[in-house]
Amino acid sequence: MPNSNMALSSSSRGGSCRRLLSLVAVLTSLSMLMVPRSHGQEIGRLYATRPPPGYAFVRIATLSEGAPPRVQVNSENMQLNEATGVSYYRAVPGNQPLSLVVNGSTISKDVVPGAAAYLTLVIAKPSSEWTVQSIDEGQNSSDGLKAKLRFFNLAPGCTATLKIAEGPTIFQQAPFASVSSRTINPVTAKLEGSCEEASASLTLPQLHAGDYYSLFLRKEAERLRLTGQLDETEPYRER
């Protein structure tokens, strides 16, 4: 009888070992199947945002105070950041008229962004109707070791200056509805935008090499306001 019990115990242990080995084999197979799929998803995220050749990139900046208006570009809603009044860039077909609708009213079909160009469309409501001004930023070129600043003067009647607070001037004599740009070392700094005697400040966040950062100088309630945001592009999808 003892020998019989020992045989049963040994058999039971052998069965448990076989089941354990089978489970390990199944888990290993699953992990091998899952790794390429996860890697593929990472690659998809990297390249899904790239539109086909010939596309342009547009974003909206509003001069209106209060809640951002409802904006549609080519019949698709475009979200404006409540803090800055500026959207992300969106890829649109280049060399084709752009349809821009604000609060249900078409305000322009005359904007035709060139292929690979970057445009900031500044919308305003100086009277009863919305207007748009197009600021052509040209084509992007990156310096992998530095960050890039873009300074937009959106203060009507103002020739603007941007400088480091209590330091050197970065941009000067910037006319209304214009953009100035330059590469900088990726550091933090307190910046000051001014028009004549009026000024507004902003602390530049810690930028990294290759970052693009835009600054927007506006006049709100007769006071200057300087805001900024990292330049980003919406993930591309067929529209």
Side-chain angles (χ1 to χ4, degrees), residues 25-39:
V26 169
L27 291 175
T28 302
S29 299
L30 286 174
S31 65
M32 292 176 68
L33 288 172
M34 290 171 66
V35 168
R37 189 178 305 153
S38 175
H39 184 60

Side-chain angles (χ1 to χ4, degrees), residues 169-218:
T169 297
I170 304 172
F171 304 112
Q172 60 183 349
Q173 300 298 308
F176 169 63
S178 71
V179 59
S180 305
S181 62
R182 64 174 294 174
T183 56
I184 62 167
N185 290 320
V187 297
T188 59
K190 185 175 182 180
L191 304 180
E192 184 179 279
S194 62
C195 293
E196 298 178 349
E197 301 301 319
S199 65
S201 62
L202 172 144
T203 299
L204 194 67
Q206 177 64 62
L207 300 180
H208 300 90
D211 281 347
Y212 285 74
Y213 193 84
S214 288
L215 297 145
F216 306 92
L217 186 68
R218 291 183 177 83

Side-chain angles (χ1 to χ4, degrees), residues 14-55:
S16 298
C17 288
R18 283 193 295 274
R19 285 194 296 272
L20 179 60
L21 289 173
S22 297
L23 179 60
V24 169
V26 169
L27 291 175
T28 302
S29 299
L30 286 174
S31 65
M32 292 176 68
L33 288 172
M34 290 171 66
V35 168
R37 189 178 305 153
S38 175
H39 184 60
Q41 288 170 350
E42 285 294 330
I43 292 174
R45 274 200 298 270
L46 286 173
Y47 293 98
T49 58
R50 296 175 181 264
Y55 270 62

